Amino acid sequence: MSNTRLYGIPPVLEEWGDKNIVLIAGRSVQRSLPPYFLPLPVPLGRLGAYRLLVALMLPFLCLKYRPQIVLTDWTSARLTYLVLVMRRLGLLHVKLVHDVRTVPVKDDGGKSWQVYAACLRYAKRYFDGLTTITEPLRDEIWERFKIPRNKVAVWTSGVDVNHFKPRLDGDLRRHLGLEDKFVAFYHGSVNLNRGVLELALATRHFEDLPNFRLLIVGGGNKWASLQKVVKNNQLEKVILQPAVPYDRIPEWIACADLCVVPLPNHPWWRVSS
């Protein structure tokens, strides 16, 4: 539910006359969902059961909505096997496109990487085309998976510049006590191998800069670890703020004098950012 891409892209496509439906897991307890979201329950709270539900429902949803294109993410290509069967039987006329926005970090014994690679090989064999986020990732896919060059297109990240215009009224800086401070800012996931814990620890080297502050806004499976690191090391220059609503992000960015991307120098970050 926190994937801003799923919130941001469908309205733009609708402005261009393309209707969208986004299949998404679970239900939001915080607010009503956008009309283009079609939430599916997670049976018994298990991801495997959810995947089976998607695979079984997808051909019926295709028959109902008659989409021109089904776009899968990096984990979902193989959930289309029944759609492929119906397409082969002539019951559906739909193009299948596999989209890769990110490369999994190899921190789970390689399971995520195996899913990622299997989906790419599946899409290479059965799909009409692939899209990806950057030229380096496209080149990596060409090289590693031997996918024909004319089958992979690049669809880069975008931003709603009207939404993200700087809002420099200073109210938030005053509220946070940052009016006379130099603020470095990180916003996003706090997960393993993103360098955010190391970023917080780096503030120990700024003792001679009394007006320096590091503001971290986000969440993730290492957020509690980040809180512990800040507390145990008495990192007084670090300010932590749990995730805020999408529409308020520009206010927080406007607090910053310097925005920071601390991603380590690993291949999976170089090709996706």
Side-chain angles (χ1 to χ4, degrees):
M1 295 296 179
S2 63
N3 191 324
T4 54
R5 171 171 58 92
L6 299 181
Y7 286 90
I9 291 173
V12 175
L13 294 178
E14 292 210 358
E15 287 180 11
W16 297 345
D18 298 310
K19 297 295 183 182
N20 309 263
I21 293 174
V22 180
L23 298 186
I24 193 164
R27 297 187 180 278
S28 173
V29 297
Q30 299 176 345
R31 56 182 171 174
S32 59
L33 293 173
Y36 46 81
F37 274 5
L38 179 58
L40 297 178
V42 182
L44 305 175
R46 300 184 66 85
L47 183 59
Y50 173 75
R51 290 180 164 285
L52 179 61
L53 178 65
V54 172
L56 294 175
M57 289 193 63
L58 192 56
F60 296 101
L61 293 172
C62 287
L63 287 171
K64 178 179 179 180
Y65 294 107
R66 296 289 175 179
Q68 293 175 299
I69 298 170
V70 170
L71 184 72
T72 61
D73 71 6
W74 68 273
T75 67
S76 304
R78 292 180 296 175
L79 303 184
T80 61
Y81 54 88
L82 291 178
V83 173
L84 284 165
V85 170
M86 295 184 70
R87 189 168 75 162
R88 184 164 293 183
L89 294 173
L91 300 175
L92 284 175
H93 302 281
V94 59
K95 290 188 179 296
L96 297 173
V97 178
H98 186 58
D99 181 53
V100 182
R101 299 285 96 189
T102 186
V103 179
V105 178
K106 301 176 185 178
D107 62 354
D108 61 353
K111 293 179 182 178
S112 294
W113 182 267
Q114 290 169 17
V115 171
Y116 164 79
C119 283
L120 275 170
R121 295 188 184 99
Y122 187 89
K124 173 185 176 182
R125 183 173 181 180
Y126 297 112
F127 276 38
D128 299 282
L130 298 90
T131 54
T132 189
I133 192 172
T134 63
E135 284 82 2
L137 183 52
R138 175 200 60 192
D139 296 345
E140 196 267 349
I141 289 173
W142 278 345
E143 208 170 301
R144 181 182 293 269
F145 297 96
K146 310 302 180 188
I147 294 176
R149 290 175 176 256
N150 63 355
K151 201 171 182 176
V152 186
V154 176
W155 161 31
T156 58
S157 291
V159 64
D160 183 343
V161 293
N162 292 318
H163 178 69
F164 280 96
K165 283 180 180 177
R167 301 175 186 175
L168 303 175
D169 54 19
D171 286 347
L172 188 55
R173 282 186 75 112
R174 282 191 292 272
H175 175 72
L176 296 171
L178 299 174
E179 292 173 278
D180 60 343
K181 302 297 188 289
F182 183 92
V183 179
F185 177 78
Y186 171 81
H187 164 247
S189 298
V190 181
N191 297 325
L192 191 65
N193 293 326
R194 282 183 175 264
V196 185
L197 274 64
E198 293 82 356
L199 175 65
L201 286 168
T203 61
R204 294 179 297 184
H205 299 286
F206 296 156
E207 293 302 322
D208 58 337
L209 300 175
N211 289 331
F212 176 85
R213 295 292 183 272
L214 172 63
L215 176 59
I216 299 176
V217 177
N221 57 27
K222 289 297 177 180
W223 183 260
S225 298
L226 177 62
Q227 291 176 310
K228 189 178 295 185
V229 164
V230 171
K231 180 180 179 180
N232 292 348
N233 292 276
Q234 299 180 331
L235 302 177
E236 297 177 356
K237 295 182 182 296
V238 180
I239 302 169
L240 301 181
Q241 168 63 45
V244 300
Y246 176 74
D247 57 2
R248 291 201 59 206
I249 290 298
E251 300 175 47
W252 290 86
I253 294 175
C255 285
D257 297 291
L258 174 70
C259 292
V260 183
V261 180
L263 297 176
N265 185 20
H266 292 316
W268 50 77
W269 297 133
R270 289 202 301 269
V271 299
S272 63
S273 297

